[in-house]
C-alpha cells in the first residue's frame, strides 16, 4: 500500500494507538488520533504526537474525521461505537493494530504462531517463546504481551518466528491474519458485554484459525474449540492437532504416566509416541498449566522444534506473577496468589489444583454467573471469604450449591479489605490447607488492576507471617 498522504484515523491513545500513529506517520500518512478521554496523560501523549505532525482530537471519540480513508482502532473499542458505524456507512475499512502489523510485514517476515482462548494465553505464549528460544530460534513473545507487534514487524531486529498472543478484541479487527499455526486453548463466556453474545465471542476467537498453513491446535477436552477448527477455512494440508491431559490419540499430544508425549508430529503416529518432557518439568504442575504446556509444545512441534528443546524450554520457564503464585507458608497453611483469575473459567482451573481450600473471591463480575463454578468446586472448599462489589452473586451461588461451607462476607470494597480477607481466611484454614486468592472477577472495583490486587494479597500474607514468626 502507498501510505503517502493517506488519511488515517487512529481510534484511541494508549499502548496500541500511540505506536500505530507514529508508524503510520513515519510511512507518510496524514494521521488524526481521536480519543474519548481528555485527562493529563492523554494531553501529554497528544503533545508528543503533535510534534510529529499528527493531529490529535481529545474528548471526542465518536465522530469520524472528515475525509478519513482508513480507521485503525485500539482493540478495546466496542464495535457499536458511532465512529465505526459512520466508517462502515462511508465504506471505510476498520483495522486493529494486529491487522496493521500483519499488513506491514516485509516479504521475508517471520511466521506467526498464534494463541488465543478465554484463559491461559499469556502463559502459553511465554512457554512457547521459551521453547523456541531453547531451540536456538530468534523469537519474541508479542501481541497482548511483551514486544509490540508493530515494533516486531517494523523494527530493525529480525526474528525466525513470533509467538503471538491475541485477544478476542484483536481478532475481531484482524480479518486478513493468516498464521503458520494457531491454538484456541479453551472457550468460556467472557467479555460478552463487548461481543454481544457467546456466538459472536466464539466467532471472533475462531478467526485465529483462518488460513492456517500447518496446524490448528485445539483442546480435546473442550469440544467448542474443535468445532472452531471444523468451521475454519485453512490451507490445504493443514492439520487439526488436539491436546489432552490423558492418553493422547493419533494427531494429539497428551500425558502418559507423568510424561508429556506427542502422537501428532511423529512417524507412524497410530503406533508410536515421542516423549517430550516430564510433568515435573512444568511449574507449577497444576492441570490447567499442563494443558498450557501441551498447547505450547504442539505449536512448537508444528514449527519443527525437536523434543529436547520442548523439554528444556518448559524447564526454564517460570510463570508471571499473580498466576497461581506461591506467596508463603504460614503455620502450615499455604497461601497462593492467582489474582489473574479474573473470570469463572480461570478460577475453576485454579481451584481444581488444590484441596482443601479456603477461597478468597469477589470483585466485578462482568455479567458472569457462578453456579457452575461453585458446583464444580464445592467439595474442595473448607471456607470462603468474599470481597468486592459483586460478592453477593458468589454468596448466593454458595448458598444454593454449597450451603454447608462457611462463608465470611466482608462488606467493604476499600483496598484495606484484602488484609482483613487474609486474616479471616487464616482463621478458617487448618494446617495442610491452601488459602487461594482466585477472585473469579475483575479487580477495578477495589484496585487499579489484577497486579495491584495480587500485591495487596501478598503484602497481607507477609504481614501475617511477620506477626506469627
Amino acid at each position: 500500500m502507498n501510505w503517502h498522504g493517506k488519511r488515517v484515523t487512529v481510534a484511541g491513545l494508549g499502548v496500541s494507538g500511540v505506536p500505530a500513529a507514529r508508524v503510520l506517520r513515519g510511512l507518510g500518512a496524514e494521521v488524526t488520533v481521536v480519543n474519548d478521554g481528555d485527562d493529563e496523560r492523554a494531553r501529554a501523549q497528544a503533545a508528543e504526537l503533535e510534534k510529529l505532525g499528527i493531529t490529535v482530537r481529545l474528548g471526542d471519540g465518536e465522530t469520524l474525521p472528515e475525509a478519513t480513508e482508513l480507521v485503525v482502532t485500539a482493540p478495546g473499542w466496542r464495535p457499536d461505537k458511532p465512529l465505526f458505524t459512520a466508517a462502515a456507512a462511508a465504506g471505510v475499512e476498520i483495522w486493529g493494530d494486529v491487522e496493521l502489523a500483519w499488513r506491514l510485514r516485509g516479504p521475508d517476515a517471520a511466521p506467526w504462531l498464534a494463541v488465543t482462548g478465554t484463559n491461559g494465553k499469556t502463559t502459553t505464549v511465554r512457554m512457547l517463546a521459551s521453547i523456541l528460544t531453547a531451540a536456538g530460534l530468534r523469537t519474541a513473545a508479542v501481541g497482548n504481551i511483551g514486544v509490540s507487534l508493530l515494533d516486531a514487524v517494523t523494527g530493525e531486529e529480525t526474528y525466525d518466528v513470533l509467538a503471538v498472543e491475541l485477544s478476542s478484541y484483536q481478532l475481531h479487527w484482524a480479518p486478513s491474519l493468516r498464521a503458520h499455526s494457531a491454538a484456541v486453548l479453551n472457550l468460556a463466556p467472557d467479555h460478552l458485554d463487548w461481543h454481544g453474545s457467546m456466538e459472536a465471542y466464539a466467532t471472533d476467537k475462531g478467526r485465529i484459525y483462518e488460513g492456517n498453513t500447518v496446524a490448528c491446535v485445539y483442546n480435546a477436552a473442550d469440544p467448542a474449540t474443535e468445532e472452531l477448527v471444523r468451521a475454519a477455512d485453512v490451507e490445504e494440508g493443514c492439520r487439526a492437532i488436539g491436546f489432552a491431559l490423558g492418553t493422547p490419540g493419533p494427531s494429539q499430544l497428551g500425558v502418559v504416566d507423568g510424561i508429556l508425549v506427542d502422537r501428532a508430529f511423529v512417524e507412524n503416529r497410530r503406533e508410536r509416541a515421542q516423549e517430550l518432557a516430564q510433568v515435573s518439568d512444568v511449574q507449577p504442575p497444576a492441570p490447567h498449566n499442563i494443558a498450557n504446556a501441551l498447547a505450547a509444545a504442539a505449536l512448537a512441534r508444528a514449527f519443527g522444534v525437536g523434543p529436547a528443546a520442548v523439554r528444556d524450554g518448559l524447564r526454564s520457564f517460570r510463570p508471571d506473577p499473580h498466576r497461581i503464585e506461591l506467596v508463603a507458608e504460614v503455620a502450615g497453611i499455604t497461601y497462593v496468589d492467582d489474582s489473574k483469575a479474573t473470570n469463572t473459567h480461570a478460577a475453576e482451573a485454579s481451584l481444581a489444583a488444590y484441596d482443601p481450600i479456603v477461597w478468597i473471591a469477589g470483585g466485578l463480575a462482568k455479567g458472569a454467573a457462578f453456579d457452575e463454578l461453585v458446583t464444580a468446586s464445592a467439595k474442595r472448599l473448607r471456607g470462603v471469604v468474599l470481597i468486592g462489589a459483586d460478592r453477593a452473586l458468589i454468596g448466593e451461588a454458595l448458598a444454593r450449591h454449597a450451603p454447608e461451607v462457611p462463608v465470611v462476607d466482608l462488606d467493604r470494597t476499600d483496598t484495606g479489605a484484602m488484609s482483613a480477607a487474609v486474616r479471616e481466611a487464616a482463621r478458617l484454614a487448618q494446617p495442610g490447607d491452601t488459602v487461594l486468592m482466585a477472585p473469579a472477577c475483575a479487580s477495578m472495583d477495589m484496585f487499579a488492576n489484577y497486579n495491584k490486587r495480587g500485591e495487596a494479597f501478598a503484602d497481607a500474607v507477609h504481614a501475617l507471617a511477620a506477626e506469627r514468626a
Side-chain angles (χ1 to χ4, degrees):
M1 181 180 292
N2 180 11
W3 291 96
H4 187 75
K6 191 173 184 69
R7 292 181 290 274
V8 182
T9 294
V10 174
L13 290 165
V15 295
S16 63
V18 170
R22 285 175 173 158
V23 167
L24 289 164
R25 182 58 184 155
L27 292 169
E30 296 296 327
V31 181
T32 299
V33 178
V34 299
N35 195 65
D36 287 331
D38 185 13
D39 54 22
E40 183 177 346
R41 181 169 181 268
R43 288 192 290 273
Q45 290 174 319
E48 291 300 315
L49 292 177
E50 286 168 346
K51 292 176 183 177
L52 302 176
I54 296 169
T55 301
V56 182
R57 195 177 71 194
L58 298 177
D60 178 13
E62 305 294 332
T63 308
L64 183 70
E66 188 176 352
T68 295
E69 297 174 87
L70 173 70
V71 174
V72 175
T73 180
W77 280 41
R78 292 172 60 113
D80 57 0
K81 283 185 74 72
L83 177 77
F84 302 140
T85 302
V92 174
E93 283 191 283
I94 304 168
W95 298 356
D97 61 324
V98 170
E99 178 74 9
L100 178 62
W102 182 256
R103 302 273 191 136
L104 293 179
R105 295 171 310 125
D108 300 318
W112 293 14
L113 302 176
V115 178
T116 195
T118 304
N119 295 297
K121 298 183 292 296
T122 299
T123 297
T124 301
V125 166
R126 291 190 61 240
M127 283 179 170
L128 174 58
S130 182
I131 293 169
L132 296 170
T133 299
L137 296 165
R138 295 168 298 174
T139 191
V142 299
N144 247 5
I145 60 169
V147 178
S148 159
L149 254 177
L150 280 171
D151 289 341
V153 301
T154 62
E156 295 183 359
E157 187 167 356
T158 59
Y159 300 97
D160 298 311
V161 58
L162 293 173
V164 186
E165 177 186 341
L166 297 174
S167 70
S168 57
Y169 300 163
Q170 291 171 313
L171 287 163
H172 180 87
W173 301 115
S176 298
L177 171 67
R178 300 292 183 265
H180 173 286
S181 298
V184 179
L185 304 176
N186 41 60
L187 205 58
D190 200 20
H191 304 302
L192 300 191
D193 54 343
W194 195 94
H195 292 276
S197 69
M198 185 63 193
E199 182 180 8
Y201 173 64
T203 297
D204 282 335
K205 288 290 191 187
R207 288 174 184 260
I208 202 169
Y209 289 136
E210 291 297 318
N212 281 197
T213 59
V214 175
C216 295
V217 178
Y218 67 92
N219 185 345
D222 190 339
T225 64
E226 187 173 8
E227 286 301 313
L228 293 179
V229 176
R230 295 183 190 280
D233 184 9
V234 301
E235 291 292 317
E236 185 175 355
C238 182
R239 296 171 57 199
I241 305 296
F243 63 90
L245 291 177
T247 302
S251 293
Q252 292 186 347
L253 282 72
V255 181
V256 179
D257 295 332
I259 300 171
L260 276 63
V261 298
D262 172 7
R263 288 188 68 188
F265 301 99
V266 294
E267 293 183 8
N268 192 14
R269 57 183 177 269
R270 295 194 174 278
E271 298 180 9
R272 291 189 62 246
Q274 172 66 57
E275 177 178 340
L276 298 176
Q278 301 283 333
V279 166
S280 58
D281 292 325
V282 181
Q283 295 299 321
H288 65 290
N289 213 37
I290 299 298
N292 294 337
L294 289 166
L299 289 172
R301 295 286 281 163
F303 198 68
V305 170
V310 173
R311 178 200 63 208
D312 294 345
L314 291 176
R315 282 180 178 173
S316 63
F317 171 77
R318 290 295 178 269
D320 285 340
H322 315 303
R323 290 172 170 84
I324 50 175
E325 181 182 11
L326 174 63
V327 175
E329 183 177 311
V330 183
I333 299 164
T334 301
Y335 292 80
V336 175
D337 168 15
D338 197 10
S339 184
K340 183 65 168 63
T342 58
N343 56 50
T344 57
H345 189 264
E348 183 176 342
S350 190
L351 287 161
Y354 304 97
D355 189 17
I357 300 163
V358 176
W359 180 29
I360 298 176
L364 288 177
K366 301 183 295 182
F370 298 90
D371 294 87
E372 290 185 11
L373 171 61
V374 170
T375 300
S377 309
K379 292 182 180 180
R380 297 173 177 271
L381 299 178
R382 174 86 68 191
V384 180
V385 180
L386 296 176
I387 60 175
D390 293 331
R391 65 190 182 280
L393 297 175
I394 305 175
E396 291 162 5
L398 287 162
R400 285 191 291 270
H401 305 291
E404 72 286 354
V405 175
V407 177
V408 175
D409 186 343
L410 290 178
D411 184 16
R412 51 192 290 190
T413 56
D414 61 287
T415 54
M418 187 60 76
S419 178
V422 167
R423 292 176 182 279
E424 289 293 341
R427 182 179 61 81
L428 291 171
Q430 299 178 16
D433 290 358
T434 296
V435 172
L436 175 64
M437 200 266 289
C441 293
S443 59
M444 286 78 75
D445 58 331
M446 296 170 60
F447 303 94
N449 49 51
Y450 75 82
N451 295 289
K452 293 298 183 183
R453 179 169 62 187
E455 291 167 7
F457 174 77
D459 289 345
V461 171
H462 292 314
L464 181 69
E467 289 177 8
R468 300 189 178 183

